[in-house]
Amino acid sequence: MSVQRSSEGAAVGLRASHADRDGVVDLLSAAAGDGMLTAEELDERVGAALSARTLGELTALTADLPVSSGLRREGEVKDVVRIEQQGASTRRGDGWVVPRRMEIRSEWGEVTLDLARAVITHDTLHIDLTLRGGTLKLVTRPGVVVDTDALVAHYAKVKVARAAGAGDPAVLRVEIAGEVSFGQVVVRSPRRRFARRG
């Protein structure tokens, strides 16, 4: 099979590397942050980018985005998100973009990370946790695996509910490390909403 080359000289038939895929995911995430893509479009394109085999497949995913207008601005896509709070409540809900790493420092407050409705752009999320009092709550969905083996607990509770669809392929692995004192870490599925019978 001959390799086709575009007018710009890119070998669109060449195999894509991990770095190529990551670069496109960053571009897509930045575009979503600027309002150019909906959460559904981002989810669909990121999935296609992560499974793309050639540079041509990756190029097609960003063809309608103004890459030349500065989509690669420094800091547009965050690899690390930090949450620091005392006696406060923080929630990441519908449509938030999951970073590669989070640093959470919370005293006597609550942090909720809704992964069931989040936009997942990487296969692993590392959480570095220091929790004194209060709660870290993770809402999961099938395909999200949470590992708390590296978490140290002092007078605390770590509760990981058995996920529905445990046999589903992993979409995101969450690794929580750090320390919990006088608090709790709760991992659960979304609450079911029961329809009212007529």
Side-chain angles (χ1 to χ4, degrees):
M1 181 186 298
S2 62
V3 175
Q4 295 181 340
R5 295 180 181 272
S6 71
S7 59
E8 297 179 5
V12 296
L14 288 181
R15 293 283 178 165
S17 68
H18 290 310
D20 295 327
R21 296 185 190 95
D22 288 346
V24 169
V25 168
D26 287 348
L27 283 172
L28 294 171
S29 299
D34 282 346
M36 298 178 198
L37 297 175
T38 65
E40 291 77 14
E41 288 173 325
L42 177 61
D43 220 8
E44 180 181 346
R45 293 196 192 195
V46 165
L50 294 176
S51 61
R53 291 178 296 177
T54 67
L55 295 178
E57 292 173 30
L58 290 176
T59 300
L61 297 173
T62 58
D64 60 344
L65 300 176
V67 178
S68 60
S69 67
L71 211 52
R72 289 184 181 271
R73 289 192 298 269
E74 188 67 27
E76 190 76 15
V77 179
K78 294 184 178 179
D79 278 347
V80 182
V81 170
R82 295 177 177 85
I83 296 175
E84 294 189 24
Q85 63 181 28
Q86 288 185 323
S89 177
T90 298
R91 179 181 178 86
R92 295 289 186 269
D94 191 16
W96 73 287
V97 179
V98 179
R100 295 181 190 273
R101 189 159 65 92
M102 297 188 75
E103 296 177 359
I104 300 175
R105 308 283 181 266
S106 178
E107 293 187 17
W108 310 108
E110 182 172 296
V111 177
T112 301
L113 305 178
D114 189 343
L115 298 170
R117 298 170 183 82
V119 177
I120 297 173
T121 60
H122 309 294
D123 58 4
T124 305
L125 166 61
H126 300 277
I127 298 178
D128 182 9
L129 177 66
T130 302
L131 180 67
R132 180 175 175 79
T135 304
L136 169 64
K137 192 179 299 179
L138 274 69
V139 182
T140 63
R141 69 190 192 202
V144 176
V145 179
V146 180
D147 181 357
T148 59
D149 289 348
L151 197 57
V152 178
H154 302 286
Y155 304 102
K157 180 193 293 185
V158 178
K159 182 179 179 181
V160 180
R162 184 175 180 181
D168 292 351
V171 174
L172 175 69
R173 180 178 179 82
V174 183
E175 299 177 349
I176 308 177
E179 193 170 344
V180 183
S181 303
F182 305 104
Q184 60 179 345
V185 174
V186 179
V187 180
R188 64 169 177 82
S189 299
R191 303 282 188 207
R192 291 184 180 273
R193 294 182 180 176
F194 295 96
R196 187 184 302 173
R197 293 184 180 181

